[in-house]
Amino acid sequence: MDRVSLELGSGGKLMRDFIEQYIIKNFANPYLGDLSDSAHLPRGMAFTTDSYVVDPIFFAGGDIGTLCVNGTVNDLIVSGAKPEYISLALILEEGISFTDLEKILKSIKKSAWKAEVKIATGDTKVVRRGQADKIYINTAGVGTIIARPSTASVRPGDKILITGTLGEHSLAVMLARGDFGLESNVKSDCAPLSFLLPIWKKGARWMRDVTRGGLATVLSELAERIPYSIIVDEDKVPLSRAVQGATELLGIDPLYLACEGRAVLVVPGGKAKNILEEIRAHPLGRKACIIGKIKERPGKHPELLLATATGGLRILEPLTSELLPRIC
Protein backbone atom coordinates (compact mmCIF):
# COMPACT_ATOMS: atom_id res chain seq x y z
CA MET A 1 0.00 0.00 0.00
CA ASP A 2 1.14 3.54 -0.72
CA ARG A 3 -1.83 5.15 1.09
CA VAL A 4 -3.65 4.57 4.36
CA SER A 5 -6.81 2.45 4.11
CA LEU A 6 -9.57 1.68 6.62
CA GLU A 7 -8.17 -1.83 7.07
CA LEU A 8 -5.15 -0.32 8.78
CA GLY A 9 -7.41 0.49 11.77
CA SER A 10 -8.82 -3.02 12.10
CA GLY A 11 -6.48 -4.17 14.84
CA GLY A 12 -5.39 -7.02 12.58
CA LYS A 13 -2.37 -7.88 10.46
CA LEU A 14 -2.24 -4.61 8.49
CA MET A 15 -2.16 -2.58 11.69
CA ARG A 16 0.61 -4.75 13.13
CA ASP A 17 2.60 -4.42 9.92
CA PHE A 18 2.15 -0.64 10.05
CA ILE A 19 3.36 -0.48 13.66
CA GLU A 20 6.43 -2.57 12.87
CA GLN A 21 7.32 -0.77 9.62
CA TYR A 22 6.65 2.81 10.70
CA ILE A 23 6.25 3.22 14.47
CA ILE A 24 8.91 0.82 15.78
CA LYS A 25 11.26 1.80 12.96
CA ASN A 26 11.16 5.46 14.01
CA PHE A 27 10.67 5.30 17.76
CA ALA A 28 12.14 1.99 18.94
CA ASN A 29 12.92 1.84 22.66
CA PRO A 30 12.55 -0.75 25.46
CA TYR A 31 9.17 0.59 26.60
CA LEU A 32 7.58 0.68 23.16
CA GLY A 33 9.13 -2.52 21.87
CA ASP A 34 7.05 -4.84 24.04
CA LEU A 35 3.90 -3.73 22.17
CA SER A 36 1.63 -4.51 25.11
CA ASP A 37 -1.61 -2.66 25.85
CA SER A 38 0.26 -0.47 28.36
CA ALA A 39 3.90 0.44 28.84
CA HIS A 40 5.56 -0.46 32.14
CA LEU A 41 7.64 2.57 33.13
CA PRO A 42 10.10 3.14 35.99
CA ARG A 43 8.88 3.70 39.57
CA GLY A 44 6.12 1.11 39.26
CA MET A 45 3.99 3.10 36.83
CA ALA A 46 2.03 1.85 33.80
CA PHE A 47 0.98 4.18 30.99
CA THR A 48 -1.42 3.80 28.05
CA THR A 49 -3.26 5.96 25.52
CA ASP A 50 -6.12 5.48 23.08
CA SER A 51 -8.38 7.44 20.73
CA TYR A 52 -12.10 6.89 20.13
CA VAL A 53 -13.91 7.60 16.87
CA VAL A 54 -16.87 5.20 17.15
CA ASP A 55 -19.75 5.68 14.71
CA PRO A 56 -22.45 6.26 15.88
CA ILE A 57 -21.53 7.97 19.14
CA PHE A 58 -24.59 6.46 20.91
CA PHE A 59 -25.45 2.75 20.80
CA ALA A 60 -27.35 0.23 22.93
CA GLY A 61 -25.44 -0.32 26.16
CA GLY A 62 -23.18 2.71 25.96
CA ASP A 63 -21.75 5.64 24.07
CA ILE A 64 -18.39 7.12 23.17
CA GLY A 65 -18.09 8.33 26.78
CA THR A 66 -18.42 4.92 28.42
CA LEU A 67 -16.17 3.52 25.71
CA CYS A 68 -13.28 5.94 26.24
CA VAL A 69 -13.10 5.31 29.99
CA ASN A 70 -13.54 1.54 29.95
CA GLY A 71 -11.23 1.04 26.98
CA THR A 72 -8.45 2.93 28.74
CA VAL A 73 -8.76 1.31 32.16
CA ASN A 74 -9.03 -2.14 30.62
CA ASP A 75 -5.74 -1.68 28.76
CA LEU A 76 -4.10 -0.99 32.11
CA ILE A 77 -5.78 -3.89 33.91
CA VAL A 78 -4.81 -6.56 31.38
CA SER A 79 -1.25 -5.24 31.49
CA GLY A 80 -1.03 -5.90 35.22
CA ALA A 81 -1.77 -2.40 36.52
CA LYS A 82 -4.41 -0.86 38.78
CA PRO A 83 -5.86 2.22 37.01
CA GLU A 84 -5.51 5.49 38.91
CA TYR A 85 -5.84 8.51 36.60
CA ILE A 86 -6.88 9.25 33.03
CA SER A 87 -6.72 12.30 30.78
CA LEU A 88 -9.61 13.46 28.63
CA ALA A 89 -9.07 15.30 25.34
CA LEU A 90 -12.16 16.27 23.33
CA ILE A 91 -12.12 17.09 19.62
CA LEU A 92 -15.52 18.62 18.90
CA GLU A 93 -17.08 19.32 15.55
CA GLU A 94 -18.75 22.68 15.16
CA GLY A 95 -22.51 22.15 15.51
CA ILE A 96 -22.61 19.23 17.96
CA SER A 97 -25.46 19.85 20.38
CA PHE A 98 -24.77 20.62 24.02
CA THR A 99 -27.46 18.06 24.86
CA ASP A 100 -25.40 15.28 23.28
CA LEU A 101 -22.17 16.62 24.75
CA GLU A 102 -23.63 16.78 28.25
CA LYS A 103 -24.94 13.22 27.92
CA ILE A 104 -21.47 11.99 26.92
CA LEU A 105 -19.78 13.86 29.77
CA LYS A 106 -22.20 12.33 32.27
CA SER A 107 -21.39 8.89 30.87
CA ILE A 108 -17.69 9.62 31.34
CA LYS A 109 -18.30 10.74 34.93
CA LYS A 110 -20.34 7.64 35.77
CA SER A 111 -17.87 5.26 34.08
CA ALA A 112 -14.89 6.85 35.84
CA TRP A 113 -16.65 6.47 39.19
CA LYS A 114 -17.36 2.77 38.50
CA ALA A 115 -13.76 2.16 37.44
CA GLU A 116 -12.43 4.13 40.44
CA VAL A 117 -10.30 6.48 38.36
CA LYS A 118 -10.02 10.26 38.35
CA ILE A 119 -10.06 12.56 35.32
CA ALA A 120 -6.81 14.37 36.12
CA THR A 121 -6.20 16.53 33.05
CA GLY A 122 -7.54 17.20 29.58
CA ASP A 123 -7.95 19.43 26.55
CA THR A 124 -10.67 20.66 24.20
CA LYS A 125 -10.40 21.55 20.52
CA VAL A 126 -13.13 22.53 18.03
CA VAL A 127 -12.90 21.93 14.28
CA ARG A 128 -15.10 23.28 11.52
CA ARG A 129 -18.33 21.57 10.50
CA GLY A 130 -17.55 18.62 8.24
CA GLN A 131 -13.96 18.20 9.49
CA ALA A 132 -14.89 15.60 12.13
CA ASP A 133 -17.89 13.45 13.02
CA LYS A 134 -19.52 15.19 16.00
CA ILE A 135 -16.88 14.19 18.57
CA TYR A 136 -13.59 12.31 18.84
CA ILE A 137 -11.99 11.58 22.21
CA ASN A 138 -8.40 10.83 23.17
CA THR A 139 -7.50 9.46 26.59
CA ALA A 140 -4.35 8.45 28.40
CA GLY A 141 -4.26 6.33 31.52
CA VAL A 142 -1.81 5.95 34.38
CA GLY A 143 -1.82 3.04 36.83
CA THR A 144 0.18 1.30 39.52
CA ILE A 145 1.88 -1.93 38.46
CA ILE A 146 0.74 -4.95 40.50
CA ALA A 147 1.99 -7.72 38.17
CA ARG A 148 4.45 -8.09 35.33
CA PRO A 149 2.89 -10.48 32.80
CA SER A 150 5.15 -12.07 30.23
CA THR A 151 4.56 -14.46 27.37
CA ALA A 152 7.78 -16.16 28.47
CA SER A 153 5.88 -17.57 31.46
CA VAL A 154 3.33 -19.43 29.29
CA ARG A 155 3.74 -23.21 29.47
CA PRO A 156 2.20 -26.33 27.87
CA GLY A 157 -0.82 -27.41 29.90
CA ASP A 158 -1.92 -23.83 30.63
CA LYS A 159 -5.58 -23.12 29.98
CA ILE A 160 -7.21 -20.38 27.88
CA LEU A 161 -10.11 -18.65 29.63
CA ILE A 162 -12.59 -16.07 28.29
CA THR A 163 -14.55 -13.89 30.71
CA GLY A 164 -17.84 -13.86 28.80
CA THR A 165 -19.71 -14.07 25.52
CA LEU A 166 -18.18 -12.58 22.38
CA GLY A 167 -19.28 -9.93 19.93
CA GLU A 168 -22.04 -7.94 21.66
CA HIS A 169 -20.21 -4.64 21.18
CA SER A 170 -19.73 -5.16 17.45
CA LEU A 171 -23.34 -6.21 17.01
CA ALA A 172 -24.70 -3.28 19.07
CA VAL A 173 -22.75 -0.78 16.96
CA MET A 174 -23.76 -2.54 13.75
CA LEU A 175 -27.45 -2.37 14.71
CA ALA A 176 -27.15 1.29 15.73
CA ARG A 177 -25.92 2.08 12.21
CA GLY A 178 -28.93 0.40 10.65
CA ASP A 179 -26.90 -0.91 7.73
CA PHE A 180 -28.30 -4.44 7.67
CA GLY A 181 -31.97 -3.95 8.57
CA LEU A 182 -31.67 -6.24 11.60
CA GLU A 183 -33.43 -5.78 14.92
CA SER A 184 -32.30 -7.08 18.30
CA ASN A 185 -32.25 -6.09 21.96
CA VAL A 186 -28.52 -6.84 22.22
CA LYS A 187 -26.43 -4.35 24.21
CA SER A 188 -22.73 -3.59 24.07
CA ASP A 189 -20.63 -5.46 26.63
CA CYS A 190 -18.71 -2.23 27.35
CA ALA A 191 -17.60 -2.40 31.01
CA PRO A 192 -14.50 -2.10 33.21
CA LEU A 193 -12.54 -5.28 33.90
CA SER A 194 -11.57 -4.23 37.43
CA PHE A 195 -12.79 -7.55 38.85
CA LEU A 196 -9.81 -9.21 37.14
CA LEU A 197 -7.19 -7.35 39.18
CA PRO A 198 -7.17 -9.98 42.00
CA ILE A 199 -6.67 -12.72 39.40
CA TRP A 200 -3.09 -11.53 38.89
CA LYS A 201 -2.35 -12.64 42.46
CA LYS A 202 -4.02 -15.99 41.79
CA GLY A 203 -1.43 -16.93 39.17
CA ALA A 204 -2.65 -15.53 35.82
CA ARG A 205 0.22 -15.56 33.34
CA TRP A 206 -1.16 -13.28 30.61
CA MET A 207 -4.29 -11.26 29.73
CA ARG A 208 -5.64 -9.21 26.84
CA ASP A 209 -8.94 -7.45 26.36
CA VAL A 210 -10.74 -8.68 23.25
CA THR A 211 -11.21 -5.54 21.16
CA ARG A 212 -10.56 -4.84 17.45
CA GLY A 213 -9.75 -8.01 15.55
CA GLY A 214 -11.59 -10.19 18.04
CA LEU A 215 -10.51 -13.28 19.92
CA ALA A 216 -8.81 -14.91 16.92
CA THR A 217 -6.54 -11.92 16.31
CA VAL A 218 -5.61 -11.53 19.99
CA LEU A 219 -4.69 -15.21 20.29
CA SER A 220 -2.82 -15.11 16.96
CA GLU A 221 -0.57 -12.42 18.42
CA LEU A 222 0.05 -14.60 21.48
CA ALA A 223 0.80 -17.63 19.27
CA GLU A 224 3.50 -15.68 17.46
CA ARG A 225 5.26 -14.92 20.76
CA ILE A 226 5.36 -18.39 22.32
CA PRO A 227 7.06 -21.61 21.15
CA TYR A 228 3.87 -23.65 21.60
CA SER A 229 0.55 -24.20 19.89
CA ILE A 230 -2.77 -22.80 21.08
CA ILE A 231 -5.85 -24.95 20.61
CA VAL A 232 -9.32 -23.41 21.03
CA ASP A 233 -12.40 -25.64 21.37
CA GLU A 234 -15.13 -24.18 19.14
CA ASP A 235 -17.94 -25.77 21.17
CA LYS A 236 -16.77 -24.05 24.35
CA VAL A 237 -16.59 -20.48 23.02
CA PRO A 238 -19.59 -18.68 24.60
CA LEU A 239 -21.91 -16.80 22.23
CA SER A 240 -25.26 -15.17 22.95
CA ARG A 241 -28.22 -16.21 20.81
CA ALA A 242 -28.33 -12.74 19.27
CA VAL A 243 -24.69 -12.83 18.17
CA GLN A 244 -24.90 -16.42 16.98
CA GLY A 245 -28.01 -15.69 14.92
CA ALA A 246 -26.69 -12.45 13.41
CA THR A 247 -23.29 -13.88 12.48
CA GLU A 248 -24.85 -16.93 10.84
CA LEU A 249 -27.24 -14.69 8.87
CA LEU A 250 -24.49 -12.29 7.75
CA GLY A 251 -21.76 -14.89 7.25
CA ILE A 252 -19.43 -13.30 9.83
CA ASP A 253 -17.09 -15.32 12.03
CA PRO A 254 -17.82 -14.29 15.66
CA LEU A 255 -14.21 -15.04 16.59
CA TYR A 256 -13.26 -11.79 14.82
CA LEU A 257 -15.89 -9.54 16.43
CA ALA A 258 -14.86 -6.85 18.90
CA CYS A 259 -15.80 -6.68 22.57
CA GLU A 260 -15.27 -3.84 25.04
CA GLY A 261 -15.75 -5.68 28.31
CA ARG A 262 -14.24 -9.12 27.79
CA ALA A 263 -10.75 -10.46 28.35
CA VAL A 264 -8.91 -13.63 27.42
CA LEU A 265 -6.53 -15.10 30.00
CA VAL A 266 -3.81 -17.72 30.12
CA VAL A 267 -3.77 -19.43 33.52
CA PRO A 268 -1.92 -22.47 34.95
CA GLY A 269 -3.83 -25.68 34.24
CA GLY A 270 -3.91 -26.68 37.90
CA LYS A 271 -5.44 -23.36 38.95
CA ALA A 272 -7.85 -22.91 36.04
CA LYS A 273 -11.00 -24.23 37.75
CA ASN A 274 -10.51 -22.12 40.87
CA ILE A 275 -9.79 -19.00 38.82
CA LEU A 276 -12.85 -19.70 36.66
CA GLU A 277 -15.05 -19.97 39.77
CA GLU A 278 -13.74 -16.66 41.11
CA ILE A 279 -14.41 -14.89 37.81
CA ARG A 280 -17.90 -16.39 37.56
CA ALA A 281 -18.68 -15.06 41.03
CA HIS A 282 -18.68 -11.53 39.58
CA PRO A 283 -21.75 -10.39 37.59
CA LEU A 284 -19.60 -9.48 34.58
CA GLY A 285 -17.96 -12.91 34.57
CA ARG A 286 -20.96 -15.19 35.00
CA LYS A 287 -20.56 -16.67 31.51
CA ALA A 288 -16.79 -17.13 31.69
CA CYS A 289 -15.51 -20.39 30.18
CA ILE A 290 -12.32 -22.35 29.72
CA ILE A 291 -12.11 -22.51 25.93
CA GLY A 292 -8.71 -23.99 25.13
CA LYS A 293 -5.19 -24.89 26.12
CA ILE A 294 -1.52 -24.41 25.38
CA LYS A 295 0.00 -27.51 23.84
CA GLU A 296 3.49 -28.54 22.80
CA ARG A 297 3.43 -29.84 19.22
CA PRO A 298 7.02 -30.41 18.04
CA GLY A 299 7.62 -28.84 14.65
CA LYS A 300 4.14 -27.33 14.64
CA HIS A 301 4.53 -24.03 16.45
CA PRO A 302 3.75 -21.23 16.55
CA GLU A 303 0.16 -21.85 15.50
CA LEU A 304 -3.41 -21.14 16.58
CA LEU A 305 -5.84 -23.97 15.93
CA LEU A 306 -9.61 -24.22 16.26
CA ALA A 307 -10.91 -27.67 17.21
CA THR A 308 -14.14 -27.51 15.21
CA ALA A 309 -17.54 -28.90 16.17
CA THR A 310 -17.15 -31.50 13.41
CA GLY A 311 -13.96 -32.89 14.92
CA GLY A 312 -11.33 -31.31 12.68
CA LEU A 313 -8.65 -28.68 13.24
CA ARG A 314 -8.69 -25.32 11.47
CA ILE A 315 -5.88 -22.76 11.44
CA LEU A 316 -6.98 -19.36 12.74
CA GLU A 317 -5.19 -16.33 11.35
CA PRO A 318 -5.27 -12.67 12.39
CA LEU A 319 -7.86 -10.40 10.82
CA THR A 320 -6.70 -9.14 7.42
CA SER A 321 -9.58 -6.84 6.50
CA GLU A 322 -11.94 -4.42 8.23
CA LEU A 323 -15.15 -6.18 9.31
CA LEU A 324 -16.63 -3.06 10.85
CA PRO A 325 -14.74 0.27 10.69
CA ARG A 326 -14.82 2.79 13.56
CA ILE A 327 -15.92 0.23 16.15
CA CYS A 328 -14.27 2.10 19.04
Side-chain angles (χ1 to χ4, degrees):
M1 290 192 305
D2 59 356
R3 295 181 185 275
V4 171
S5 68
L6 276 174
E7 285 82 2
L8 194 134
S10 68
K13 187 177 185 302
L14 287 179
M15 172 172 277
R16 288 160 51 201
D17 290 346
F18 166 75
I19 291 172
E20 291 175 2
Q21 294 173 20
Y22 293 92
I23 305 301
I24 298 300
K25 174 183 175 181
N26 286 289
F27 308 115
N29 64 68
Y31 306 113
L32 184 63
D34 189 43
L35 294 181
S36 65
D37 283 341
S38 304
H40 281 200
L41 304 179
R43 301 183 181 90
M45 182 174 66
F47 180 54
T48 189
T49 186
D50 210 336
S51 299
Y52 299 87
V53 297
V54 65
D55 174 35
I57 58 175
F58 298 104
F59 46 85
D63 56 43
I64 194 172
T66 57
L67 195 60
C68 74
V69 174
N70 292 329
T72 303
V73 300
N74 289 347
D75 279 349
L76 289 166
I77 291 165
V78 299
S79 300
K82 181 182 183 301
E84 304 282 358
Y85 308 98
I86 65 174
S87 68
L88 179 67
L90 307 175
I91 301 173
L92 307 176
E93 182 188 28
E94 177 190 19
I96 184 174
S97 73
F98 276 104
T99 299
D100 285 349
L101 183 56
E102 182 71 12
K103 185 177 179 180
I104 291 166
L105 293 175
K106 286 182 177 179
S107 291
I108 292 171
K109 179 181 178 180
K110 184 177 180 180
S111 298
W113 178 80
K114 285 184 177 180
E116 299 182 345
V117 294
K118 292 180 174 62
I119 310 296
T121 189
D123 182 51
T124 301
K125 295 291 190 297
V126 179
V127 298
R128 291 176 178 173
R129 193 183 302 266
Q131 292 184 348
D133 192 355
K134 300 182 183 67
I135 180 172
Y136 299 149
I137 299 178
N138 173 268
T139 56
V142 176
T144 303
I145 296 172
I146 62 172
R148 296 187 180 273
S150 171
T151 55
S153 67
V154 175
R155 296 287 182 270
D158 288 350
K159 301 294 185 179
I160 308 295
L161 190 153
I162 190 78
T163 62
T165 53
L166 299 178
E168 278 92 349
H169 179 69
S170 279
L171 183 56
V173 172
M174 187 186 304
L175 294 174
R177 292 179 183 174
D179 292 340
F180 297 97
L182 300 176
E183 292 185 3
S184 173
N185 61 356
V186 69
K187 294 183 178 180
S188 169
D189 52 65
C190 187
L193 294 169
S194 307
F195 67 97
L196 293 180
L197 285 170
I199 304 301
W200 285 117
K201 302 298 183 182
K202 304 292 182 178
R205 302 196 194 276
W206 179 88
M207 293 185 198
R208 278 287 301 276
D209 53 338
V210 183
T211 54
R212 289 173 300 171
L215 177 67
T217 300
V218 170
L219 289 180
S220 291
E221 293 176 8
L222 174 62
E224 291 179 0
R225 296 186 177 199
I226 62 175
Y228 312 112
S229 296
I230 301 174
I231 300 180
V232 175
D233 190 331
E234 184 177 32
D235 282 339
K236 294 181 180 178
V237 176
L239 299 173
S240 68
R241 288 185 178 180
V243 169
Q244 191 166 9
T247 53
E248 288 178 357
L249 181 64
L250 298 172
I252 297 173
D253 190 336
L255 295 178
Y256 292 93
L257 291 181
C259 307
E260 287 294 342
R262 306 286 188 248
V264 58
L265 291 70
V266 177
V267 301
K271 298 180 179 181
K273 289 185 179 180
N274 289 338
I275 290 176
L276 178 63
E277 289 177 3
E278 183 164 340
I279 291 175
R280 283 181 171 174
H282 191 278
L284 293 176
R286 283 189 302 234
K287 295 185 179 179
C289 293
I290 295 171
I291 61 169
K293 60 187 175 182
I294 306 295
K295 187 172 182 179
E296 189 164 21
R297 287 162 53 88
K300 294 287 186 179
H301 50 71
E303 63 182 358
L304 172 62
L305 299 172
L306 182 71
T308 66
T310 57
L313 290 175
R314 175 164 70 93
I315 295 176
L316 292 176
E317 297 181 342
L319 187 67
T320 55
S321 62
E322 181 65 273
L323 284 178
L324 194 64
R326 293 182 59 188
I327 193 71
C328 61

